Amino acid sequence: MQFSAMLVVGALLAGITSSEASAQSRMIAAFEKADVNHDGVITRAEFVAARNARFTDVDRNGDGVIRRDDFSRLIAFRPKAGILIDEMIAEGDLNHDGVVTRAEYYQAPTTDFDRADTNRDHVIDRAELEAMIARTKARL
């Protein structure tokens, strides 16, 4: 379950009835919050810390695991989001039981960080974040 994709999914879920601009603003705000030292980039450590802090937000029904049902409202509004959610769950589901536990979430690979870091400088800057947001939104 990746932070960058979860930024997009989370912003869409929080703003199902809001405008695209408002959802993008929430994603940028999440980026700025993750940038704890305010240097304009997110390191892998900041990325993992921000992702891990979101577990409770992502576990929408509070049952201690992340599953597709946690996103039923978003999927109803944006059916293509189900594909992205299934991919995220599959990536984070380390024991392949169909759900992502808190421990699995914390241990999940940082594949989306690597995808977003297109210049391979080991940080994600705002331009890379915006490009990742655009790529992810295009899939929805």
Side-chain angles (χ1 to χ4, degrees):
M1 184 80 53
Q2 295 301 307
F3 171 73
S4 58
M6 287 310 305
L7 278 175
V8 177
V9 171
L12 289 171
L13 186 58
I16 282 176
T17 59
S18 69
S19 71
E20 291 289 325
S22 178
Q24 180 130 354
S25 294
R26 277 191 295 282
M27 289 179 261
I28 298 301
F31 173 87
E32 290 168 354
K33 185 177 179 181
D35 180 17
V36 295
N37 64 357
H38 309 292
D39 63 354
V41 298
I42 298 176
T43 65
R44 189 177 306 273
E46 288 172 323
F47 174 95
V48 170
R51 175 186 69 187
N52 292 351
R54 292 190 44 80
F55 181 86
T56 303
D57 297 335
V58 180
D59 177 19
R60 309 246 338 141
N61 65 7
D63 66 355
V65 296
I66 299 168
R67 64 182 83 227
R68 193 175 213 272
D69 293 350
D70 288 309
F71 302 95
S72 58
R73 185 171 171 220
L74 173 61
I75 294 169
F77 183 74
R78 292 189 183 231
K80 288 183 178 180
I83 296 167
L84 179 61
I85 289 163
D86 291 343
E87 289 172 2
M88 290 185 304
I89 290 173
E91 186 170 292
D93 181 14
L94 302 178
N95 68 356
H96 309 291
D97 65 354
V99 298
V100 177
T101 65
R102 185 180 299 269
E104 288 173 321
Y105 191 80
Y106 288 3
Q107 296 172 15
T110 57
T111 307
D112 272 357
F113 180 93
D114 297 330
R115 285 184 196 131
D117 181 21
T118 55
N119 66 2
R120 305 295 180 240
D121 64 352
H122 307 289
V123 296
I124 301 171
D125 62 28
R126 189 168 172 154
E128 288 171 317
L129 173 72
E130 290 173 356
M132 181 280 308
I133 291 168
R135 288 190 306 270
T136 303
K137 283 174 33 178
R139 294 186 62 196
L140 301 174

